[in-house]
Amino acid sequence: MKQITLAKAVKGVGIGLHKGEPIEIMLEPLEANSGIVFFRKDLNISYKAEPNNVINTQMATVIGDNRGYVSTIEHLMSAINAYGIDNIRIVLNANEAPVMDGSSISFCMMLDEAGIKELDAPKKIIVIKKAIEVKEGHKFVKLIPSKIPKINYTIKFDNAVIGEQNYCFEFSKKNYIEEIARARTFGFLKDVKALRAMNLGLGGSLENTIVIDDNRILNPEGLRFKDEFVRHKILDAIGDLTLLGSRVFGDYISYAGSHHLNHLLTKALLEDKDAYEVVTLSKNYEKAYEKVFA
């Protein structure tokens, strides 16, 4: 099994969730072993999507340095992971990726338009060899060994609309598109003023966010899934794990996880060389993992 990139470049435009401004985005092919690279064309700066470049996880996953940054990358990263793309350049003219409709389905459509191209280099995966966990009070995220990657996510909110939700997702591109990609980000009406006081959430609207009042959903169309909230958390987690650079083969389990805990988990994994192995998908391994890449 070989590494893949895009067959051609594609472009789009969307609103930035936090700044509320139109953002141009272009997805471009890259050569083998390049990874996922974000390019701020307004600053002429590139950032590779990897844990060492994460500088903030407060409201989104943010990569950058003292020269600039790119925020809200997790939805796009999630789609890139689902499509098994190893090498891609994301060109932006602003400091965040566009939010589109609050899910990753628009990015999936862009990737479908671009198509894929096989490169002359073997694909690599990260195989989890032992359990590794990060806790913060009652909250936790962990990875455990597994041949078929699954995500088992539980959320619990003190809110009548959300309450406690659990979803177990078995990873494949087909399952991702059908079960996860359309799940939108969400927020509470009571938090809007606080966010905007911090100059965040300026682009948030009922067009790209599920907005929740004390006991009702304000979006007139309602939910896309009855458990859309936990499905979106799975979408986010897939995006955050993509910063490891290769598809992770192991089960991810979370209770009340977050971008912050996901970032700590990626760092903890990379620091424990006994917890994982980077495997080249030669013919010996392809059969075991082909379902996930289908």
Side-chain angles (χ1 to χ4, degrees):
M1 189 173 286
K2 302 291 188 179
Q3 292 181 28
I4 61 173
T5 188
L6 304 184
K8 66 176 183 180
V10 292
K11 64 172 64 175
V13 178
I15 294 296
L17 177 61
H18 292 302
K19 297 302 180 184
E21 300 168 351
I23 295 170
E24 297 175 2
I25 180 170
M26 180 174 287
L27 309 181
E28 298 179 341
L30 270 187
E31 60 271 16
N33 301 311
S34 297
I36 301 169
V37 178
F38 285 83
F39 177 65
R40 286 278 306 271
K41 70 177 183 179
D42 55 325
L43 299 178
N44 195 30
I45 299 173
S46 291
Y47 297 108
K48 191 168 184 180
E50 57 187 16
N52 285 341
N53 284 334
V54 173
I55 59 171
N56 196 321
T57 54
Q58 182 183 9
M59 296 297 298
T61 297
V62 184
I63 57 173
D65 57 23
N66 58 1
R67 300 170 298 166
Y69 63 89
V70 181
S71 176
T72 325
I73 66 172
E74 58 272 9
H75 300 171
L76 174 55
M77 294 284 285
S78 186
I80 290 168
N81 188 318
Y83 277 63
I85 294 169
D86 303 285
N87 308 288
I88 184 173
R89 187 166 92 141
I90 300 106
V91 181
L92 298 164
N93 66 341
N95 59 15
E96 61 180 320
V99 68
M100 304 309 214
D101 74 340
S103 73
S104 66
I105 194 65
S106 295
F107 296 126
C108 292
M109 293 169 68
M110 290 181 72
L111 295 174
D112 285 334
E113 180 186 351
I116 60 170
K117 175 185 176 182
E118 192 173 88
L119 300 168
D120 190 22
K123 184 181 285 288
K124 297 177 181 179
I125 60 172
I126 295 174
V127 177
I128 303 301
K129 297 177 68 177
K130 73 173 188 179
I132 190 155
E133 181 176 15
V134 174
K135 294 182 177 181
E136 194 173 75
H138 67 283
K139 303 176 182 180
F140 71 83
V141 293
K142 64 180 175 181
L143 289 165
I144 62 173
S146 173
K147 280 287 187 180
I148 303 297
K150 296 181 292 296
I151 296 180
N152 193 325
Y153 209 120
T154 301
I155 61 173
K156 187 174 183 180
F157 283 81
D158 186 19
N159 176 273
V161 174
I162 304 177
E164 183 169 337
Q165 297 183 2
N166 171 268
Y167 197 81
C168 187
F169 170 66
E170 185 172 309
F171 209 111
S172 73
K173 177 183 173 182
K174 179 177 181 293
N175 290 349
Y176 179 87
I177 293 169
E178 292 179 354
E179 302 174 28
I180 302 300
R182 294 176 60 248
R184 296 161 294 174
T185 192
F186 59 93
F188 297 94
L189 183 63
K190 62 183 175 63
D191 295 331
V192 170
K193 287 184 178 179
L195 282 172
R196 293 187 172 172
M198 295 187 291
N199 210 31
L200 296 172
L202 302 179
S205 73
L206 297 179
E207 301 297 317
N208 55 40
T209 306
I210 303 170
V211 181
I212 306 157
D213 204 348
D214 290 337
N215 56 8
R216 65 191 179 106
I217 293 166
L218 300 185
N219 305 63
E221 75 280 10
L223 296 175
R224 294 175 178 176
F225 308 95
K226 65 178 182 180
D227 51 5
E228 188 169 356
F229 306 104
V230 70
R231 292 187 193 222
H232 184 78
K233 287 292 191 177
I234 290 173
L235 187 157
D236 280 348
I238 292 169
D240 289 341
L241 291 179
T242 308
L243 279 94
L244 287 166
S246 298
R247 179 77 66 78
V248 175
F249 276 73
D251 286 353
Y252 168 95
I253 304 169
S254 173
Y255 182 83
S258 63
H259 295 305
H260 174 62
L261 286 177
N262 290 337
H263 174 51
L264 294 181
L265 183 64
T266 60
K267 290 178 65 178
L269 178 67
L270 294 178
E271 289 168 2
D272 189 343
K273 302 302 182 184
D274 296 326
Y276 72 98
E277 179 183 9
V278 178
V279 172
T280 298
L281 275 183
S282 62
K283 290 183 178 179
N284 294 333
Y285 283 94
E286 280 185 22
K287 202 70 178 174
Y289 300 117
E290 62 185 6
K291 178 182 178 183
V292 179
F293 286 99

